[in-house]
Amino acid sequence: MENNFVFMFDQSESGMKELLGGKGANLAEMTRIGLPVPYGFTITTAACNAYYDAEKVISPEVESQVLQSLQVLEEKTDKKLGNPTNPLLVSVRSGAVHSMPGMMDTVLNLGMNDETVKGMAELTNNARFAYDSYRRFIQMFGNVVLDIENYFFEQQLEEIREEKGYQSDTELTAEDWKEVIEAFKSIVLKNTKRSFPQDPKEQLFLTIQAVFDSWNNKRAILYRRLHQIPGHLGTAVNIQSMVFGNMGEDSGTGVAFTRNPSTGESKLYGEYLINAQGEDVVAGIRTPQPIATLKDEMPDVYQQLVNTCQLLEDHYKDMQDIEFTVERGKLFILQTRTGKRTAQAAIRIAVEMVKEKIMDQREALLRVDPDQLNQLLHHRIDPEYKREKLAAGLPASPGAATGQVVFDADEADKLSKEGKKVILVRPETTPDDIHGIVAAQATVTSRGGMTSHAAVVARGMGKACICGCDSLKIHLDSKQFAVGDTTVNQGEIITIDGSTGEIFLGEIPMIEPELSDEFQLLLRWADEERKIGVRANADNPTDAAKALEFGAGGIGLCRTEHMFMDASRIPTVQSMILSETTTERKESLDQLLPMQQQDFEQIFETMQGHPITIRLLDPPLHEFMPDKEELLVDVTKLQITSPDSNELQEKQTLLRKVRLLEESNPMLGLRGCRLGMIHPEIYEMQILAIFQAMSNVMKKGITVKPEIMIPLVSHVNELKEMRELVIRISQHVQTETGLAFDYLIGTMIETPRAALTADQIAEEADFFSFGTNDLTQTTFGFSRDDAEGKFLQHYVDSDVLKRNPFVSLDQDGVGKLVENGVKLGKATNPALKTGICGEHGGEKESIQFCFDLGLEYVSCSPFRVPSARLAAAQSTIRSERKKSRKEPQYS
Ligand code: PEP
Ligand code: MG
């Protein structure tokens, strides 16, 4: 049977998004529900993949189906492609399964040539319009299909405008446009060595091919990487009969959101341009009018738009982003898609849609992306700090940022790679600037509205953005902008507030974020649903308090070495490490004991009875030591300047000891529980500090639930010995204080051997916490310190690995060890508690994986706790839905 590679809008069924792409599926759906959609057809993603499989050739099968569908379109519209008296014109647009706004190519007005333009002029009785449309087509086709730089066309237009003394394009007459067209055709001839193609079918197939090719352009690949969209999906192509927003003052084009994508407010939001075509709004070249004014300019169209928006939102049960065109007073809907929104808007929309009974709580929880929540946990400008603003534009994407001004995306990228914070300032951005927007802290444009490219892209990334700030006079040549008398040069610092649209000179203090009421409510719903605990990694009272504030159920990892790193403690820690006898070491440890004990007391008091997993010292000792290279330089200098000094002697001794501690593979060396095995006095001090702190806090009537964790165990005998040490010291303190302690002893599972012998290890452990940072390192054999910079990014870029395994758990490899570890551990110790405390504990896909394996909790940094709570709820809901789909349904 012949494959169906092309579907008319009214021929497909719902549930075909994979084939039709998001745009195609929605156009078909809108056609089915009777909305005024210009008719057309969709070439499927399968055709795109077949094109790539055939080394970029459109097969005869696809070609003939396109031609058949074109005939149907011609019959339905009663027009014909290329017919000089009654020409059909079409738009050709990309449309992938996942929306990738502005990343791929579009061509409008296809079908125009030297003959059809005359027919158009006659038919519309508007020669100016017809010739303007033709020149637009040559320009777009020239740029997208023939790969000619837009600059050549713009330059040419500018020259003709100047020659005629015009200020703007609206002054050009039909005769002027004819002149422009001839000039544009010469540009095509000069750049491609052939004339502009006059055959509309040739135009059509060349454009389809260009849209397929645009799936693999640089910016689309970067966008996919940023949003983890697989590269093999391909794009569909939508061919739709044209409607024109540039037919005069009763025509226009615009974008509408059914709710505000920045704040979530339930009010029609958007903008439009009168007498303009398709991409003018999104391209940000002219600053459009807010949608509310359409109510006065075209009341009937406005009302029809309001009704359509309502209908679409009810139908899709989500906020929609709609493109519309008004042709001589008649409304057409060109596209609808789920609107991209800020985290703040996502939460408000989800919560309000529950209140409006559009969806239930569980559905609302699934509508917010946990990754987006981090946007809300960032700093904002201190409102108490009064500073005069330099300028203000449209508040396109909320958040505050400080950085040095740059005017070029490549420069932004370069400086950010050097670790500098930059703010990208441009007249407008195009999809080619995306790497600059990614690299910058924030983006500011002087032109364009709330739906311009910069606004949409920045919002999607959760980056602050200000658009349409027209008081900014940007001079790209001299790399500066001016506002009134003030000039700001590249490299100067500015601060921007994307929530208010304000720009300030210099750096401005920021304040800590707070969780809005809606945010709190959504998280409470998440807690009602989730069946996996969320703890935080915290090792000081401030982080512990933050963890509780953000809703953590306890501390899943307290890294005690972080308590050693305080500047005031380093000398004592260093003398402890450099001790040459145990007695000497014990002296330093005696000094450290009260400090550690005090830290624990503060954390225990802060956590008020919540469980706290305390990990004994883990890193290689030389991490606390002075830098060897620096010592060497000092010694060499002193040997020349003061060869007999005490200082030289001291430095030489230090250097000798540092060399003694040095290891070739410190990550595989004397660290983790091996420290406790070789120098038990270090762990003894830490354990004593924990239990003495516990007794002091218990005496104040506060419950303390410590879980003492032994790191980097690879053999059960290590844990056995360390466990005996913990029990011995706890019994000693209990006898001394007369208190009874309730505590657990467990281990991290961070080496493949530990996971493989988890049944033996579990016999000595009350709990396992999977340290997936080290487990990833030891399973792959990739250094967690060096791999990213040396080769891992290349692996991810070239699809050797789908994701960076230090960010998202490698479920096939490391995940198998975790699964095995849980199964074996619970087999010999059914009461064993399990959790994860590697970085993966805060990542949504890894959380789903941990939930599916039956882990009791995940633990992550305090700022990731809210998003982990949401991801945990989503894991529970998704798994339950999957299970109920599998179970037989009885009526
Ligand atoms: C781990 O290895 O996953 C872990 C949590 O420990 P650390 O990152 O401190 O080595
Ligand atoms: Mg570790």
Side-chain angles (χ1 to χ4, degrees), residues 312-327:
L312 283 171
E313 199 180 272
D314 288 350
H315 183 79
Y316 288 103
K317 299 199 186 314
D318 206 347
M319 187 264 268
Q320 295 294 298
D321 164 358
I322 295 159
E323 269 180 38
F324 66 91
T325 284
V326 182
E327 185 184 280

Side-chain angles (χ1 to χ4, degrees), residues 377-551:
L377 303 172
H378 290 133
H379 295 89
R380 56 195 177 89
I381 286 180
D382 183 353
E384 299 297 310
Y385 190 84
K386 300 268 175 282
R387 163 89 64 112
E388 199 148 317
K389 65 172 182 269
L390 174 69
L394 301 169
S397 182
T402 296
Q404 48 174 289
V405 172
V406 290
F407 293 96
D408 175 79
D410 291 339
E411 184 78 13
D413 191 33
K414 184 173 142 261
L415 289 175
S416 124
K417 285 191 177 131
E418 290 168 12
K420 308 221 168 76
K421 290 190 160 56
V422 299
I423 294 190
L424 179 64
V425 179
R426 300 275 313 157
E428 74 243 342
T429 65
T430 70
D432 287 332
D433 294 319
I434 181 165
H435 60 300
I437 302 177
V438 173
Q441 304 295 307
T443 301
V444 176
T445 68
S446 57
R447 291 201 287 256
M450 298 289 275
T451 52
S452 63
H453 175 263
V456 171
V457 173
R459 230 166 13 234
M461 289 179 193
K463 298 222 170 201
C465 177
I466 296 175
C467 283
C469 185
D470 49 17
S471 58
L472 244 59
K473 303 293 168 235
I474 300 175
H475 306 289
L476 292 178
D477 296 347
S478 51
K479 296 193 177 163
Q480 53 185 201
F481 72 78
V483 182
D485 299 336
T486 313
T487 301
V488 176
N489 292 302
Q490 173 143 317
E492 285 185 48
I493 303 286
I494 58 168
T495 297
I496 72 127
D497 186 343
S499 317
T500 60
E502 291 169 311
I503 302 172
F504 305 90
L505 282 178
E507 190 172 347
I508 294 200
M510 310 260 178
I511 56 165
E512 295 277 320
E514 288 159 17
L515 306 189
S516 70
D517 289 350
E518 280 136 358
F519 195 172
Q520 306 268 24
L521 180 62
L522 190 85
L523 290 178
R524 278 202 297 280
W525 292 348
D527 293 343
E528 282 169 25
E529 295 296 336
R530 70 183 161 93
K531 296 209 173 76
I532 179 167
V534 176
R535 294 194 189 182
N537 296 353
D539 34 63
N540 58 60
T542 316
D543 283 359
K546 199 58 37 293
L548 281 184
E549 182 194 329
F550 285 163

Side-chain angles (χ1 to χ4, degrees), residues 4-14 16 20 24 27-29 31-32 39-42 44 65 68-69 72 76:
N4 213 350
F5 284 116
V6 185
F7 290 85
M8 302 306 300
F9 288 170
D10 53 359
Q11 190 196 3
S12 51
E13 290 158 17
S14 59
M16 289 175 60
L20 301 178
L27 285 167
E29 188 117 351
T31 306
R32 280 198 298 275
Y39 196 54
F41 56 89
T42 304
T44 63
Q65 290 184 30
Q68 280 166 27
S69 306
V72 178
K76 186 107 172 188

Side-chain angles (χ1 to χ4, degrees), residues 557 559 561 615 618 667 671 711-712 748 750 771-775 777 784 837-838:
L557 174 62
R559 292 175 161 107
E561 59 270 17
R615 181 181 70 188
D618 178 56
M667 272 293 184
R671 60 170 288 221
L712 218 70
M748 296 189 76
E750 300 181 273
T772 44
N773 302 334
D774 274 311
L775 192 57
Q777 167 168 264
R784 58 190 273 195
C837 63

